[in-house]
Amino acid sequence: MDVIVRSALGLDRDAHETFLADVIAGLTDNPKRLGAKYFYDAAGSRLFEEITRLPEYYPTRTELGILSERADEIARLIRPGAALVEFGSGSTAKVRVLLDAAPTLAAYVPVDISAEFLGAEATRLQDDYPHLKVLPVAADFTGLFELPPQVRGHPLVGFFPGSTIGNFEPHEADAFLRRAARILGPASRLIVGVDLVKDEQVLNAAYNDAAGVTARFNLNVLIRINRELGGDFDLDAFAHRAFYNPARSRIEMHLQSLARQKVRVARRTIPFRAGETIHTENSYKYTLARFASLAHGAGWITRAVFTDPADYFSVHALTQG
Ligand code: AVJ
């Protein structure tokens, strides 16, 4: 499967430089931070797939339940001959539900930062849907990118499942929704999965699973830095911390230094105080009203909102005019 590589920088060569620059900037900042998109190397993507199957991690199975349950209603919002553009496609389980419910879809454009994962998944999907034009694009969807020329003239539907939008700061989510409107164009639609504010114990358990998979997922970013940037992080000297911050309506993930220590990264020395943390992820949780107002502020109209019976998760169908 050919993967179109599109980015302002020219992905693979400059991806390394960008990763290096971001890591150095983040680890020399106060408080220390790393971008959540860097979790997803091959090992991190596999660990995330494992997270989605954990008993405590409700979002994936709840969203899949909503999509399956309401597939026909969602499919009716998709116009015949449309091209479906998925932002940050990981596994293809969710999009398969839409493809099955909307057989008139002409093309599927998965956009993902990881070209390798993308090519493999797209090839399998193409085998299962031989009449669908599968056009993978390797790009960082947090920036502006171009769609493949083959989708020109097709009505466009964006698909952004998994509450990945929760990784953005609210102002970044606003910017993303505006950019999606620009990329997809007038009369387009956007189907977005959004995790909801709920009981704090449920939220905390989802990011502190008993099997420790989320801890391994979080710590994996240090393994990646060691391998790709010549770091010497001692994995036993950092611990996974995740908690709900009710004032900000978000789960925060951190890596906490268990001792005062120095770490070498790309020929620099990074000092850590005992107990100091690296902030590695935010996962914002929305109320239905708060997400609707975010979407409207970014120029989208809410056509329908679907939730599960417990109101754990929501799927929003938005339109441009
Ligand atoms: C893929 C961003 C939606 O925030 O729930 C899972 C990532 N982090 N466990 C989330 C994640 C820790 C996930 N998203």
Side-chain angles (χ1 to χ4, degrees):
M1 172 74 47
D2 288 336
V3 175
I4 306 175
V5 177
R6 284 174 195 281
S7 84
L9 300 167
L11 217 64
D12 268 5
R13 181 165 31 89
D14 298 320
H16 179 83
E17 294 306 309
T18 309
F19 181 41
L20 173 63
D22 282 354
V23 167
I24 296 302
L27 293 182
T28 54
D29 202 358
N30 187 16
K32 293 181 170 64
R33 59 183 167 78
L34 290 169
K37 65 182 170 192
Y38 294 122
F39 284 135
Y40 302 93
D41 64 354
S45 298
R46 268 197 305 277
L47 283 166
F48 179 67
E49 289 306 310
E50 211 178 313
I51 287 174
T52 65
R53 294 189 292 268
L54 291 168
E56 298 94 335
Y57 194 75
Y58 62 85
T60 309
R61 76 177 63 89
T62 308
E63 182 178 41
L64 204 48
I66 297 168
L67 292 173
S68 311
E69 199 80 20
R70 315 301 288 273
D72 291 340
E73 285 162 84
I74 296 169
R76 255 181 262 133
L77 301 168
I78 298 175
R79 286 177 301 166
L84 187 72
V85 179
E86 181 170 1
F87 298 98
S89 62
S91 109
T92 55
K94 291 167 192 171
V95 77
R96 284 167 186 267
V97 174
L98 295 187
L99 295 175
D100 292 341
T104 62
L105 272 169
Y108 170 54
V109 182
V111 183
D112 201 282
I113 192 163
S114 160
E116 213 179 306
F117 197 64
L118 189 61
E121 288 285 316
T123 301
R124 259 185 290 164
L125 194 102
Q126 182 69 85
D127 289 344
D128 295 343
Y129 297 85
H131 300 296
L132 189 71
K133 273 187 255 174
V134 180
L135 307 162
V137 174
D140 179 355
F141 65 84
T142 62
L144 207 51
F145 63 91
E146 266 177 67
L147 291 172
Q150 295 97 311
V151 306
R152 247 172 244 144
H154 289 273
L156 295 178
V157 189
F159 184 41
F160 195 29
S163 203
T164 304
I165 198 161
N167 272 172
F168 295 140
E169 291 298 320
H171 76 273
E172 294 169 335
D174 172 79
F176 170 82
L177 290 169
R178 288 171 192 272
R179 212 159 38 232
R182 246 200 344 270
I183 291 168
L184 298 172
S188 60
R189 282 134 175 60
L190 181 61
I191 299 161
V192 198
V194 182
D195 198 11
L196 299 176
V197 170
K198 63 181 63 61
D199 186 277
E200 286 192 29
Q201 281 174 6
V202 174
L203 287 168
N204 283 319
Y207 295 82
N208 289 282
D209 61 288
V213 182
T214 308
R216 273 158 56 214
F217 174 72
N218 196 5
L219 285 158
N220 177 62
V221 74
L222 301 185
I223 299 177
R224 182 177 185 185
I225 292 171
N226 284 351
R227 187 184 59 243
E228 294 184 23
L229 304 178
D232 70 351
F233 275 102
D234 173 2
L235 278 283
D236 294 326
F238 286 85
H240 165 71
R241 302 280 180 242
F243 55 86
Y244 186 62
N245 175 342
R248 309 290 294 272
S249 299
R250 70 191 192 193
I251 287 279
E252 294 185 13
M253 289 213 312
H254 298 260
L255 288 164
Q256 185 171 42
S257 175
L258 297 174
R260 177 188 159 96
Q261 58 181 315
K262 289 191 168 70
V263 177
R264 297 275 293 171
V265 177
R267 278 184 243 104
R268 281 164 204 258
T269 302
I270 312 288
F272 284 86
R273 300 184 304 274
E276 184 177 3
T277 73
I278 309 170
H279 190 172
T280 51
E281 185 178 47
N282 287 318
S283 189
Y284 278 87
K285 309 304 172 188
Y286 287 87
T287 61
L288 294 177
R290 218 180 294 150
F291 188 78
S293 98
L294 179 73
H296 301 167
W300 292 91
I301 299 161
T302 301
R303 274 288 290 278
V305 182
F306 307 102
T307 60
D308 57 297
D311 279 339
Y312 271 17
F313 203 91
S314 58
V315 174
H316 299 246
L318 310 173
T319 68
Q320 289 280 307

